[in-house]
Amino acid sequence: MWRLSWVWFFLCYFGICSLSASDLFLWEDCLWVGLERNAQLKLEKTKSGLFPILLSEKWKQYLPKLGVHYFGIFSRNQEQLDQEYRDVRLQIQQLLYDGGEIERDKQKIEIKQLIQSEEKKILREKIIQNISLAYLNLNKRILIDSIYDLRLERYQLEKKKSDLEIQTNLLSPNEFKSQKQWEVEFLAKRFHTQAAKESSLLELKQSMFLAPNESLVLEPGITERIQIFEPTNAPIEVDENHPVRKKNRLQIELSNLEEESLKNDWKPKLVLGGYFGRNGNNGFPLQNEIYGVSLGFQANLGGSSFVSNTQNGFQSEGNGIQRIPGYGPQAVGPGENAFQSGSIGLFDEVGRDKKRFDSQLSQFQIHSEKEQTELFLRNTSKSIEVRLREEYSKYSLYLDYVQSAFHSLKQKREEKKLNLISDLEYLRVEEEVFIALEKSIEHYFNYISTAFELVILLGEDPFRNRYYQVHHSKYKSMFTELLFDWKELTPKENLQPRGPKKQKLTPFFLEE
């Protein structure tokens, strides 16, 4: 039940409000727009309108069939008397018994409607998953790129310093060469992050059915809204009501109905009919009353067909015409008239055995697909769980490393202020911290993306589950504190060239 409601609850509650309030897109906004714009989902919604029409048509077969029938013959030949005959009658037919075939056909349509509904859910979840993964990936790229922006300010500051030092001959050739190499490596990575961010933005637009030139700006601070939890050892089980599973169960039910139809095709169909009207030989108004009843019988017997019709009628006055199926019109006089007809077609159901074989083959295929689906869901969920634990372990590992590296960086910063280390040495230490921070960001978002894939299979709420929770307001976590500390560690400094490099104070130096 939750699988049916979580999407629309969050999209309606968050999506509509945020879209009307701001041009900045939250996670929920991206899902809302993507679902509304997806052409394939619109097509599936249009297809679903066919089933009520088909059901209505089947229901009509239970209703009596009414019709007005006119029949006329005119003969004006030489050497013969002129003849004129007109017949107008109201006819009615009612199906009495069909062996339950119409009811089974209705059930088939209803099951096909449910299958189409599950296929629509599968498509919707695929769209939601594609948008969500693209959204998380873009946030990751934006965050890494923003950290590169901070480092770019630092790089530009150091470059101006080095230019001043070159002018005052305070930078040795080796130092200049090493710093130039660091600059090239940094700018190459910077170009890569910018390109990756632009590609991620285009990927998100593609998943949302947005044109490349359409504006899409995400609400910043996604890391301040998500709280992540360590994966537990509790067993996981794919949702019993997962759309793929429900679709398989419905397909088996449909194939059983097809088999039941073949087993019951020997049951006869009975149709009761009647008519009431007038005929005459002198034009309108017609003079003679006519009425009658009929009974039709049809059955399939081991590949052979049997059809029988009986009609009993009455004509008040004059001469009339009785139309006998297969024999044409026959003249009748006033009073009672009747006819009976029957025919047997020996083994004219030549495709019956093939239908039975196709039904058995379809059942075998559906059961095989069900087994493969079950195996796929179990293996996929276990595989995602392994990747999930790996991502959380790596995220925790790099997070601990960044914390200790920050402490070392602060010490190096003090040493640099005392000119005990060069700017390039400090930049190298800062580079190590940044690489670890970038890795922790990667695994942070990879963990959320992997968890999202898993909760979709488990049928849990993708915004509040055992692996993470999306808060309405800002949430303070160790990860967000580290990002804040990084920003604080990159302040702008005065553009002053350094003085002559001082030797490190050691006991040996003091002895000298």
Side-chain angles (χ1 to χ4, degrees), residues 441-466:
I441 293 172
E442 288 243 9
H443 294 299
Y444 172 84
F445 282 99
N446 288 349
Y447 174 78
I448 298 173
S449 299
T450 307
F452 184 88
E453 294 181 49
L454 184 57
V455 297
I456 288 291
L457 283 179
L458 302 182
E460 296 184 15
D461 181 358
F463 293 95
R464 293 187 180 93
N465 51 72
R466 70 181 84 175

Side-chain angles (χ1 to χ4, degrees), residues 16-111:
I16 295 177
C17 297
S18 57
L19 277 173
S20 61
S22 174
D23 291 330
L24 300 178
F25 281 67
L26 295 170
W27 188 349
E28 301 83 4
D29 301 329
C30 295
L31 294 179
W32 177 266
V33 174
L35 289 171
E36 283 296 311
R37 289 200 172 201
N38 191 276
Q40 193 174 358
L41 189 59
K42 289 180 181 178
L43 179 60
E44 290 299 321
K45 290 179 180 178
T46 304
K47 286 181 180 178
S48 61
L50 173 64
F51 296 101
I53 298 174
L54 296 177
L55 283 173
S56 176
E57 292 296 323
K58 287 297 176 182
W59 270 108
K60 290 178 182 178
Q61 295 187 32
Y62 285 120
L63 301 176
K65 294 179 173 59
L66 295 172
V68 177
H69 185 79
Y70 169 77
F71 179 73
I73 295 178
F74 307 95
S75 176
R76 293 181 177 86
N77 300 322
Q78 295 180 358
E79 299 179 359
Q80 286 186 350
L81 296 176
D82 293 344
Q83 293 182 354
E84 179 179 346
Y85 176 77
R86 289 182 175 87
D87 184 312
V88 178
R89 61 181 66 182
L90 177 67
Q91 293 182 328
I92 184 171
Q93 281 189 332
Q94 176 63 54
L95 178 68
L96 297 180
Y97 180 73
D98 68 342
E101 188 62 29
I102 293 178
E103 190 62 30
R104 283 191 293 272
D105 287 343
K106 280 173 49 189
Q107 293 177 9
K108 292 175 188 177
I109 295 172
E110 290 170 350
I111 292 175

Side-chain angles (χ1 to χ4, degrees), residues 259-448:
E259 181 68 19
E260 186 178 347
S261 294
L262 287 174
K263 290 180 179 179
N264 288 276
D265 65 349
W266 61 270
K267 293 183 178 180
K269 291 183 180 181
L270 294 176
V271 179
L272 178 65
Y275 66 90
F276 173 80
R278 285 177 174 271
N279 63 23
N281 304 100
N282 299 316
F284 293 101
L286 303 178
Q287 304 83 29
N288 310 317
E289 289 187 358
I290 56 173
Y291 54 87
V293 294
S294 63
L295 182 66
F297 177 89
Q298 179 179 344
N300 295 319
L301 303 173
S304 300
S305 62
F306 175 73
V307 180
S308 174
N309 289 287
T310 299
Q311 179 173 298
N312 293 293
F314 179 84
Q315 174 149 334
S316 61
E317 297 291 340
N319 295 320
I321 294 178
Q322 181 173 257
R323 291 169 297 281
I324 302 175
Y327 296 92
Q330 302 293 325
V332 295
E336 296 183 9
N337 50 76
F339 75 84
Q340 296 85 34
S341 68
S343 63
I344 298 178
L346 296 176
F347 305 109
D348 56 351
E349 289 284 335
V350 293
R352 190 170 183 273
D353 291 337
K354 183 179 183 302
K355 289 180 181 178
R356 188 171 295 279
F357 175 79
D358 290 342
S359 176
Q360 293 173 350
L361 179 62
S362 176
Q363 284 190 321
F364 176 77
Q365 289 176 333
I366 291 171
H367 281 87
S368 298
E369 288 176 5
K370 183 177 183 297
E371 292 177 0
Q372 292 176 1
T373 298
E374 290 296 322
L375 187 62
F376 170 79
L377 290 176
R378 288 196 296 269
N379 287 337
T380 301
S381 60
K382 294 298 181 183
S383 175
I384 295 177
E385 187 182 25
V386 171
R387 287 195 289 116
L388 189 70
R389 296 184 185 281
E390 177 190 4
E391 293 297 340
Y392 187 85
S393 299
K394 289 182 177 180
Y395 162 71
S396 301
L397 181 67
Y398 280 106
L399 200 62
D400 292 339
Y401 178 72
V402 170
Q403 286 180 299
S404 62
F406 270 167
H407 181 69
S408 300
L409 185 63
K410 291 176 182 178
Q411 291 180 339
K412 293 294 182 182
R413 186 178 185 82
E414 295 301 320
E415 292 180 13
K416 190 176 80 69
K417 288 181 180 179
L418 297 174
N419 286 329
L420 298 178
I421 61 173
S422 66
D423 292 336
L424 185 59
E425 288 179 76
Y426 177 78
L427 290 174
R428 293 293 186 188
V429 176
E430 191 180 66
E431 178 77 13
E432 294 178 3
V433 178
F434 172 71
I435 291 175
L437 183 61
E438 185 177 0
K439 288 289 186 181
S440 65
I441 293 172
E442 288 243 9
H443 294 299
Y444 172 84
F445 282 99
N446 288 349
Y447 174 78
I448 298 173

Side-chain angles (χ1 to χ4, degrees), residues 47-265:
K47 286 181 180 178
S48 61
L50 173 64
F51 296 101
I53 298 174
L54 296 177
L55 283 173
S56 176
E57 292 296 323
K58 287 297 176 182
W59 270 108
K60 290 178 182 178
Q61 295 187 32
Y62 285 120
L63 301 176
K65 294 179 173 59
L66 295 172
V68 177
H69 185 79
Y70 169 77
F71 179 73
I73 295 178
F74 307 95
S75 176
R76 293 181 177 86
N77 300 322
Q78 295 180 358
E79 299 179 359
Q80 286 186 350
L81 296 176
D82 293 344
Q83 293 182 354
E84 179 179 346
Y85 176 77
R86 289 182 175 87
D87 184 312
V88 178
R89 61 181 66 182
L90 177 67
Q91 293 182 328
I92 184 171
Q93 281 189 332
Q94 176 63 54
L95 178 68
L96 297 180
Y97 180 73
D98 68 342
E101 188 62 29
I102 293 178
E103 190 62 30
R104 283 191 293 272
D105 287 343
K106 280 173 49 189
Q107 293 177 9
K108 292 175 188 177
I109 295 172
E110 290 170 350
I111 292 175
K112 289 178 181 178
Q113 184 177 16
L114 293 175
I115 290 175
Q116 198 267 345
S117 177
E118 297 305 318
E119 289 176 344
K120 192 163 57 177
K121 291 177 191 175
I122 294 171
L123 175 61
R124 187 187 297 119
E125 288 191 355
K126 182 179 179 182
I127 296 169
I128 290 172
Q129 184 168 330
N130 290 340
I131 295 173
S132 297
L133 296 182
Y135 169 82
L136 293 170
N137 186 54
L138 177 57
N139 273 281
K140 176 176 69 176
R141 293 300 171 188
I142 290 174
L143 187 55
I144 292 175
D145 190 65
S146 67
I147 295 178
Y148 265 102
D149 287 340
L150 293 175
R151 299 191 73 228
L152 181 63
E153 295 177 7
R154 177 77 181 171
Y155 156 74
Q156 291 172 343
L157 183 66
E158 296 300 333
K159 190 173 188 308
K160 290 179 181 179
K161 283 185 179 181
S162 64
D163 291 340
L164 290 173
E165 290 169 353
I166 291 172
Q167 294 174 6
T168 55
N169 295 322
L170 293 176
L171 195 67
S172 66
N174 288 335
E175 287 179 321
F176 174 76
K177 181 179 179 181
S178 298
Q179 188 159 329
K180 196 65 177 176
Q181 182 181 0
W182 181 89
E183 291 174 3
V184 171
E185 293 174 354
F186 169 77
L187 289 176
K189 292 178 181 178
R190 166 73 175 164
F191 297 149
H192 174 73
T193 58
Q194 287 178 323
K197 185 181 75 170
E198 292 178 8
S199 297
S200 300
L201 177 60
L202 291 173
E203 181 183 350
L204 179 57
K205 286 184 176 181
Q206 173 66 27
S207 65
M208 293 171 60
F209 268 67
L210 295 176
N213 58 346
E214 289 188 77
S215 176
L216 177 61
V217 182
L218 301 186
E219 179 77 31
I222 180 65
T223 57
E224 299 175 2
R225 294 179 63 210
I226 298 182
Q227 178 184 5
I228 67 174
F229 311 109
E230 182 179 0
T232 63
N233 293 323
I236 63 170
E237 199 63 43
V238 178
D239 184 15
E240 281 297 324
N241 290 321
H242 191 280
V244 175
R245 279 181 166 172
K246 289 183 69 175
K247 178 184 174 182
N248 284 337
R249 293 197 293 265
L250 290 168
Q251 286 176 328
I252 291 174
E253 190 174 347
L254 180 62
S255 67
N256 290 337
L257 276 176
E258 295 285 357
E259 181 68 19
E260 186 178 347
S261 294
L262 287 174
K263 290 180 179 179
N264 288 276
D265 65 349

